[in-house]
Amino acid sequence: MIPASGAGTASGAGSGTGTASASGTGTASASGTRTASASASGTDLADDLRRLGLRPGARVMAHASLGGTGLGADALRDALVGVLGPRGTLVVPAFTPENSKTSSAHLARIAGLTQAQVRAYRERMPAFDPELTPSQGMGALAESVRTAPGAARSEHPQTSFAAVGEGALELCSGHPLTSHLGEESPLGKMCGEGWEVLMINVGFSVCTAFHLAEYRIPKPLLRMYECVVKVNQSVLPGGRPGEPQGEGWTAYEDIALDDSDFAEIGRSFPEDRVHRGRVSGASAMLFSLPAAVDHALKWMTENRR
């Protein structure tokens, strides 16, 4: 999942933009199997998630594209939280790829504008606010989690995560500007704690976990990023929280993120490491986040040049 780089499209920003049906009841086919276009009750969803392998107390990062599935975002979120229970945690990428000068999302916004219009547009761009700024292109489930009562969100202005459940606040605290998806980000914490990844109606091309491997390959490529921030945010280098200084652009260096080969990496991920099933008829996968990162690291080390 790339929110801000110019290399490749945003995984999840491109594939996770489906809207959710407001319908809350499901129908069954003559064989007793729900179709992907039929909504499911909360009980049905919970049963499907348990059959896939989710258990109470699990910690899960979810990706979902709900367009055409009949799944309601809030119903799916509530079913996930219910299955995970009070000791479990649910997290979603809540990225904001338009807060950039180089992302495909930003370039699409300024396409056709004159240089003067581009300058004016960028001067009006609002700073990232973890409490208010919607995620962009991450899909309806991500927004449902982000806006859920008690949800926490990390402070990275381009690659934030939102979480609900036990330890959500701790997970989302301390997301440095110079670590989009590295060891110091919530993704790095999730990997170290042995989380799982749930993918509904999406493939490995949007697997955010693979990005952590990019920080672990020998001599990773670096690049500059820019975004609009509140100058008093703690993520700013040398910034002192509590001293309001307005908003402005900041630049920083981080790994050159590239998801262009993620689908290929996923195709070689051992099938015996993936639990496959259906959630209200939509295809679903559940697998270990650390195993996915280890696999991606091996693949990248052998194949990226």
Side-chain angles (χ1 to χ4, degrees):
M1 229 180 234
I2 303 175
S5 82
T9 58
S11 352
S15 302
T17 56
T19 57
S21 164
S23 161
T25 58
T27 59
S29 69
S31 63
T33 302
R34 293 188 307 277
T35 64
S37 61
S39 297
S41 70
T43 301
D44 290 336
L45 287 174
D47 289 344
D48 288 349
L49 293 167
R50 293 188 186 98
R51 275 191 290 269
L52 189 63
L54 282 184
R55 295 291 180 264
R59 294 171 294 181
V60 179
M61 177 171 66
H63 299 273
S65 178
L66 303 185
T69 67
L71 286 166
D74 290 352
L76 178 57
R77 179 201 66 201
D78 292 345
L80 284 164
V81 170
V83 170
L84 298 177
R87 302 296 300 275
T89 317
L90 172 65
V91 68
V92 292
F95 299 166
T96 45
E98 293 178 19
N99 188 1
S100 167
K101 290 183 178 180
T102 56
S103 70
S104 57
H106 176 75
L107 295 178
R109 286 283 188 180
I110 64 173
L113 300 183
T114 66
Q115 290 186 353
Q117 289 172 327
V118 170
R119 285 194 298 270
Y121 177 82
R122 288 175 173 168
E123 288 174 358
R124 295 193 305 269
M125 285 175 58
F128 173 76
D129 185 326
E131 294 185 3
L132 300 176
T133 304
S135 63
Q136 297 158 355
M138 297 293 103
L141 177 64
E143 276 298 278
S144 179
V145 173
R146 182 188 71 83
T147 58
R153 189 183 192 183
S154 67
E155 291 190 345
H156 199 286
Q158 294 177 329
T159 55
S160 66
F161 290 84
V164 291
E166 185 173 82
L169 186 60
E170 292 78 6
L171 175 72
C172 293
S173 64
H175 191 168
L177 188 64
T178 54
S179 184
H180 275 121
L181 300 166
E183 306 295 347
E184 297 177 278
S185 73
L187 181 60
K189 296 177 186 178
M190 286 185 267
C191 187
E193 295 171 357
W195 283 52
E196 294 176 290
V197 179
L198 171 66
M199 310 191 79
I200 299 175
N201 202 38
V202 293
F204 283 106
S205 64
V206 303
C207 183
T208 297
F210 288 165
H211 279 304
L212 182 57
E214 296 184 291
Y215 288 77
R216 297 181 176 183
I217 59 176
K219 298 180 179 179
L221 295 175
L222 301 175
R223 57 156 290 183
M224 295 301 297
Y225 294 86
E226 292 181 86
C227 59
V228 188
V229 296
K230 291 184 176 180
V231 179
N232 65 343
Q233 278 189 203
S234 59
V235 294
L236 271 177
R240 291 181 291 178
E243 294 186 1
Q245 300 175 34
E247 303 178 352
W249 285 88
T250 189
Y252 60 97
E253 187 178 59
D254 196 13
I255 298 297
L257 299 170
D258 180 8
D259 63 1
S260 61
D261 50 14
F262 281 13
E264 188 174 356
I265 294 172
R267 281 193 292 271
S268 62
F269 191 41
E271 190 63 27
D272 62 3
R273 306 302 297 270
V274 182
H275 298 278
R276 295 184 183 271
R278 315 290 291 186
V279 176
S280 188
S283 63
M285 298 186 290
L286 182 69
F287 51 89
S288 161
L289 194 158
V293 174
D294 289 346
H295 169 74
L297 175 59
K298 183 176 185 297
W299 193 98
M300 291 176 188
T301 302
E302 295 174 350
N303 295 281
R304 284 193 176 181
R305 295 293 182 266

